[in-house]
Amino acid sequence: MAYLDHNATSPLRPEARAAMERAFSIGGNPSSVHRAGRAARAMVEDARETIAKIAGSRASEVIFTSGGTEANALALHGAVVGAAGQEHRIARLLVVSTAHDSVRAVAEMLAESAPGLRLSFVPVTGDGLIDPSALRMLLINGKGRALVSLLFVNNETGAIENIETLAKLIRAEAQDSLIHVDCVAAGCSPPRFADWNIDYLTLSAHKIGGPQGAGALIACEDAPLVPLVPGHQENRRRGGTENLGGIAGFAAALNALDAQRAGEQARIAALRDDFENRLRPIVPGVVIFGERTPRAANTSCFAVPGLPAETVLIALDLDGVCVSSGAACSSGKVGASHVLAAMGVPENRARCALRVSLGWSSTGEDIEAALNSLERLLARHSALAAA
């Protein structure tokens, strides 16, 4: 099998598996005071230190969650509810129009349930990046404190935002604003919490070769935050017994990524570029979305003109090649991607969008398998059209 869907989930790294096995051998609850509990607590805190060091935050700012979806929900809901009791409550919620559904859904729920909260979606350019002038106008024309949710790397196109520049713009135009950055799809691109001058940052383990079911919210100590689940764990910011194995695997995967970052990013970028360069002669008129803008090294989102995404997905799957659609899938049905729609891509082209995403286990053989499968599919399609 050629697995080319790392943006959906990346296979478990051996370093993460080994760390999880060590965690499972402890068998204690991190909240217990006996020897096994203390060993479990030490493992949790070591993981917290590792993630904080790599992400550029304090260990006390790292809150472990069940994944990126919960972390995003905790950031937005926790900020809005937490600030409600302060002198300056949040009156505006600004969300990038290409945000992941886990952000969009919470934002829309908050806009319906929180009195006086106004939700605005920030437009993007044709390359999928925030239009700074549009963001500035939303900031200066609105009234009240703002919570702005940004996306570091788009999981569909790989487009990379300049968070540092956007954060400076937000701080300049709305000084009491709060800033959240979704870094779940960051992959090989390093998030830098302190350098960006932001308030909340979300991460997920299974996008980088860690286990599913583990993630983190990094939140400034002075940023408002009310827990979604009350409890004494995670400094009373996220209740429930810590997922010891998941947390250990998360930290080990992030540590492995960080140690190999420069060389691995170059290796994966070379694979992605080789795929796209060889794709062009195979697929006449192929469209590669966001190719003119900085992209994550591992992501290629493209359209095969005239062939619906589901047709290509099925054909590749029958050949043992796993890729994804550039569309949002729900209950087995494929719909047009809100990301591509926000970029101004016509629906008929968006419905042909596919995504190849690479990771630590990707090889040249995977690229070869995908290109060969696409070439066979296009040959059959051409033969049928000519018949």
Side-chain angles (χ1 to χ4, degrees):
M1 183 177 68
Y3 186 81
L4 296 170
D5 199 17
H6 284 254
N7 283 10
T9 199
S10 189
L12 193 66
R13 290 175 181 264
E15 298 92 342
R17 185 183 298 275
M20 294 175 73
E21 289 173 352
R22 290 193 296 273
F24 295 146
S25 70
I26 292 175
N29 186 315
S31 295
S32 297
V33 297
H34 51 59
R35 181 176 301 180
R38 294 197 304 274
R41 170 54 55 192
M43 182 167 279
V44 169
E45 297 311 318
D46 284 348
R48 200 185 310 277
E49 291 280 355
T50 296
I51 290 168
K53 181 179 179 181
I54 295 171
S57 71
R58 299 184 181 94
S60 59
E61 295 172 323
V62 177
I63 307 162
F64 288 116
T65 68
S66 65
T69 293
E70 184 193 338
N72 282 331
L74 177 56
L76 270 61
H77 183 275
V80 170
V81 175
Q86 297 182 352
E87 181 181 354
H88 300 291
R89 67 179 180 85
I90 295 172
R92 298 182 286 159
L93 181 53
L94 276 58
V95 175
V96 60
S97 57
T98 53
H100 189 269
D101 283 340
S102 64
V103 170
R104 293 168 61 92
V106 174
E108 290 168 353
M109 179 195 70
L110 287 168
E112 292 178 1
S113 60
L117 182 66
R118 301 183 301 279
L119 171 62
S120 300
F121 287 102
V122 184
V124 297
T125 66
D127 290 327
L129 298 179
I130 282 179
D131 181 344
S133 61
L135 173 59
R136 182 175 179 274
M137 292 305 294
L138 284 170
L139 290 168
I140 63 177
N141 289 334
K143 294 182 179 180
R145 192 180 193 185
L147 169 60
V148 185
S149 181
L150 306 174
L151 182 62
F152 180 34
V153 177
N154 188 277
N155 72 304
E156 290 190 26
T157 67
I160 300 176
E161 285 283 6
N162 188 325
I163 299 297
E164 186 174 1
T165 298
L166 292 175
K168 287 178 179 177
L169 170 63
I170 295 166
R171 298 297 188 203
E173 301 298 348
Q175 293 181 5
D176 63 346
S177 59
L178 296 168
I179 303 174
H180 162 251
V181 179
D182 179 355
C183 288
V184 167
C188 298
S189 303
R192 295 300 302 171
F193 183 72
D195 295 350
W196 288 343
N197 187 24
I198 61 175
D199 302 284
Y200 311 95
L201 182 148
T202 49
L203 298 167
S204 179
H206 75 106
K207 306 294 188 177
I208 57 171
Q212 297 170 347
L217 168 66
I218 301 177
C220 278
E221 291 178 341
D222 59 351
L225 190 73
V226 169
L228 287 170
V229 181
H232 71 270
Q233 294 87 356
E234 296 303 294
N235 198 23
R236 300 189 178 276
R237 293 178 294 180
R238 198 270 187 181
T241 299
E242 290 91 345
N243 174 7
L244 183 61
I247 289 169
F250 180 12
L254 188 59
N255 198 46
L257 170 65
D258 188 59
Q260 305 162 3
R261 193 187 304 272
E264 188 70 348
Q265 188 163 0
R267 183 186 74 85
I268 290 173
L271 288 175
R272 194 271 310 274
D273 292 346
D274 179 51
F275 172 77
E276 291 184 348
N277 290 335
R278 295 170 61 192
L279 180 68
R280 298 177 198 277
I282 292 174
V283 184
V286 64
V287 178
I288 299 175
F289 300 107
E291 64 177 327
R292 296 174 299 175
T293 197
R295 285 184 295 160
N298 77 320
T299 304
S300 179
C301 183
F302 61 97
V304 180
L307 280 179
E310 56 266 36
T311 300
V312 184
L313 281 174
I314 292 169
L316 267 62
D317 186 51
L318 290 172
D319 283 344
V321 179
C322 300
V323 301
S324 180
S325 170
C329 298
S330 175
S331 302
K333 297 180 180 179
V334 179
S337 162
H338 76 273
V339 171
L340 298 182
M343 293 167 57
V345 177
E347 185 174 347
N348 62 339
R349 179 174 292 175
R351 289 187 178 275
C352 299
L354 298 162
R355 182 189 68 194
V356 162
S357 51
L358 312 173
W360 70 271
S361 63
S362 299
T363 65
E365 287 75 15
D366 296 331
I367 298 299
E368 195 73 31
L371 290 168
N372 288 341
S373 181
L374 281 167
E375 191 167 20
R376 288 192 295 270
L377 171 62
L378 268 294
R380 293 194 300 270
H381 181 69
S382 297
L384 286 172

